[in-house]
Amino acid sequence: MVDISQVQYGSSILEITYIVASVLFIIGLKMLSHPLTARRGNTLAAFGMGFAIVATIIFHRKEGEPIGNIPYILAAIALGTLIGWIIAKRVKMTAMPQLVSFFNGMGGAAAALISIMEFPHVSPELLAKSGMANGHVLAILLGLMIGTVSWAGSMIAFGKLDGRIGDLRIKAMKYVNLAILAVLVGFIIFIMTRQVESSRELMPYVYSMFVVAVVYGVLFVMPIGGADMPVVISLLNSFTGVAAAMGGFLYNNQAMLTGGILVGSAGTILTVLMCRAMNRSLLNVIVGVFGGGGATTAASGGDVKEISVSDAAILLSYSKKVVIVPGYGLAVAQAQHVCHELDKLLEEKGVEVRYAIHPVAGRMPGHMNVLLAEADVPYEQLVESDEINPDLPNTDVVVVIGANDVVNPAAEDDPSSPIYGMPIVKARDARNIIVMKRGMGKGYAAIENMLFFDDKTRMLFGDAKTTLQNLVNEVKNL
């Protein structure tokens, strides 16, 4: 016989636990806003999730009975923890965008699987009372659609970021995507207007909806050019959060609901900010028609001028203001520590050194902040591009290390360019420009950078880490 008082006590404990977990999520998210507290915030939020999971296993009751299959649940948690830990330890900083896409996709897949598993178990009492047109069914179907789109889209984003999948540039794609989206909405309306005794009768339509959602997730991301991938990563992240929130509604789980709402809202806000940073329309993101990526500039840029390491060291050492613009090339070379050593040497000589951080430098929001925080660069030295741009005309030297598209004047000068209108670090406004690159290769948007041919620009060719180390040695000897 079930002890009602014990069940009520466990339910109260569980609700309190979910509130505590939700508070930890919020505090953790707040701490993620600063590199110095981000790791602690991440740990705090993870602890909140673990706390909620353990409390659910111990105190959750369904019809008075505890959760079953505990060994399988614990085994799944252990296996997921092990796989996640190994992947996170092995991933390179340059592959962080791919990792974010992959993990985000797994969240979407989990939300979609929850919906598929829960749909056949809609209670007959609920169906008898309101039919299929109820909030419970709507949450299931929205979780299925959004979670599947997030999973499929994230996997394509992973492939594109990893260089395994190209762009599908078809002008009619936006109409195809809108048509598929209309079909998905049609599925939801059709299913919710059926009169059935059991929701199992509609499973063929649910599976069909899943397939259509996969197709939409793939086609939604395929047209997007490489230069615009940061926006789509952020958008897919918000999709996963919304899908998780649907699961919170299904299970009346406040922790799951709060976590989903936080991820969904944060992802949406970041998407809007990224759209502004990339000068893209959010509507175009949704229908999958924006992005550059494949275009190139046919015109030859002209001649480039080189500078030696010793001359670069002299120019930097006798400057008053130096701004470093880090990019993907710095991350690839793992040169952040040597770069920080250089800025410390220059500061010892009385040079003011700051870092100009573009919102999407490194192919992902916050990529450069994390990279430089790893090298213990003081956060005060990291300045957003729109804040530092007004001071660049008074800057003696701008050092561009592995950045390309985020300093490309085509964003301001060439209306035909795929990055036209995108806010950039206005490196060309500085008195002198040193660009560190391996060669004259184009950036992620695959277009020519006319900054390299500017009269004030000097190219310092070579691997970023090796070149910076040689530069450090030269500055020490001055």
Side-chain angles (χ1 to χ4, degrees):
M1 183 175 179
V2 178
D3 187 340
I4 301 298
S5 63
Q6 186 176 359
V7 172
Q8 291 176 341
Y9 171 77
S11 178
S12 298
I13 293 294
L14 193 57
E15 288 182 6
I16 293 172
T17 302
Y18 288 159
I19 292 173
V20 172
S22 298
V23 171
L24 291 175
F25 294 162
I26 295 169
I27 295 174
L29 183 62
K30 173 62 177 176
M31 295 174 73
L32 288 176
S33 64
H34 197 291
L36 296 178
T37 58
R39 179 174 293 181
R40 226 172 335 139
N42 200 24
T43 303
L44 201 63
F47 176 77
M49 180 58 74
F51 189 41
I53 292 172
V54 171
T56 301
I57 293 174
I58 297 174
F59 296 109
H60 182 77
R61 295 290 185 274
K62 185 176 183 180
E63 297 178 356
E65 296 297 323
I67 290 177
N69 300 316
I70 300 298
Y72 294 109
I73 294 174
L74 296 178
I77 292 173
L79 181 61
T81 301
L82 178 63
I83 293 174
W85 185 83
I86 292 174
I87 292 175
K89 289 291 287 184
R90 292 185 177 181
V91 70
K92 296 179 180 178
M93 183 59 67
T94 50
M96 195 58 65
Q98 292 94 306
L99 180 67
V100 170
S101 290
F102 181 79
F103 281 174
N104 183 63
M106 293 301 99
L113 287 174
I114 286 174
S115 294
I116 291 175
M117 295 299 294
E118 288 299 318
F119 188 85
H121 301 293
V122 177
S123 68
E125 293 81 6
L126 183 61
L127 293 179
K129 181 180 179 181
S130 59
M132 294 296 293
N134 58 74
H136 187 77
V137 172
L138 179 61
I140 291 176
L141 295 177
L142 287 176
L144 173 62
M145 182 181 76
I146 300 171
T148 303
V149 170
S150 177
W151 166 64
S154 294
M155 292 302 98
I156 297 300
F158 170 84
K160 291 167 79 72
L161 289 165
D162 210 41
R164 302 182 186 186
I165 300 176
D167 300 338
L168 182 64
R169 311 298 294 180
I170 300 176
K171 291 183 178 179
M173 188 57 66
K174 64 178 179 180
Y175 303 109
V176 173
N177 285 342
L178 287 173
I180 297 175
L181 187 58
V183 170
L184 286 172
V185 174
F187 264 113
I188 293 176
I189 295 172
F190 176 82
I191 292 172
M192 293 188 68
T193 54
R194 298 305 94 191
Q195 294 297 325
V196 294
E197 295 182 0
S198 171
S199 57
R200 293 179 183 273
E201 299 175 29
L202 298 173
M203 282 307 293
Y205 298 105
V206 171
Y207 290 131
S208 299
M209 181 179 171
F210 169 75
V211 173
V212 174
V214 170
V215 173
Y216 179 74
V218 171
L219 296 182
F220 158 65
V221 179
M222 282 300 295
I224 297 172
D228 299 317
M229 286 309 295
V231 182
V232 81
I233 292 174
S234 178
L235 183 63
L236 290 171
N237 185 58
S238 68
F239 284 178
T240 297
V242 173
M246 293 301 108
F249 282 119
L250 291 180
Y251 297 123
N252 194 27
N253 186 316
Q254 289 85 358
M256 196 175 191
L257 180 60
T258 303
I261 290 173
L262 288 174
V263 173
S265 57
T268 301
I269 292 170
L270 184 58
T271 299
V272 173
L273 293 176
M274 287 300 101
C275 283
R276 290 175 182 172
M278 300 293 288
N279 194 39
R280 302 299 180 200
S281 162
L282 183 56
L283 177 61
N284 284 347
V285 175
I286 295 173
V287 298
V289 298
F290 73 112
T296 58
T297 300
S300 173
D303 298 326
V304 299
K305 307 174 189 66
E306 292 188 50
I307 189 172
S308 65
V309 173
S310 58
D311 287 343
I314 293 171
L315 180 59
L316 291 170
S317 297
Y318 291 96
S319 297
K320 292 182 178 179
K321 287 186 177 182
V322 170
V323 171
I324 298 173
V325 185
Y328 187 69
L330 178 76
V332 170
Q334 289 290 290
Q336 63 270 29
H337 295 280
V338 185
C339 187
H340 184 37
E341 185 180 356
L342 174 64
D343 82 56
K344 287 191 293 184
L345 282 174
L346 292 177
E347 287 188 329
E348 289 174 4
K349 293 178 176 290
V351 182
E352 179 189 344
V353 182
R354 292 181 294 171
Y355 291 81
I357 306 297
H358 190 277
V360 293
R363 305 183 183 179
M364 180 181 167
H367 199 166
M368 286 298 104
N369 299 61
V370 174
L371 189 78
L372 295 171
E374 184 183 65
D376 296 322
V377 175
Y379 188 68
E380 293 71 25
Q381 281 186 258
L382 310 182
V383 185
E384 292 288 336
S385 53
D386 57 348
E387 294 180 21
I388 205 168
N389 278 338
D391 194 43
L392 289 180
N394 301 317
T395 299
D396 297 302
V397 186
V398 162
V399 183
V400 180
I401 309 177
N404 200 320
D405 300 325
V406 299
V407 295
N408 195 335
E412 297 181 320
D413 301 339
D414 185 4
S416 66
S417 172
I419 65 169
Y420 182 70
M422 183 183 83
I424 58 171
V425 178
K426 299 181 180 181
R428 63 174 173 179
D429 290 347
R431 293 165 184 162
N432 296 279
I433 307 157
I434 297 176
V435 177
M436 295 185 186
K437 282 178 64 68
R438 286 179 177 272
M440 291 299 294
K442 298 177 176 62
Y444 202 35
I447 58 175
E448 194 71 83
N449 191 339
M450 299 305 292
L451 178 70
F452 303 158
F453 309 101
D454 192 286
D455 288 338
K456 297 183 290 183
T457 300
R458 299 293 183 271
M459 306 295 296
L460 187 54
F461 292 114
D463 172 76
K465 189 172 185 178
T466 303
T467 303
L468 282 169
Q469 188 58 64
N470 292 338
L471 199 54
V472 165
N473 295 336
E474 287 289 339
V475 171
K476 286 180 179 178
N477 293 331
L478 290 176

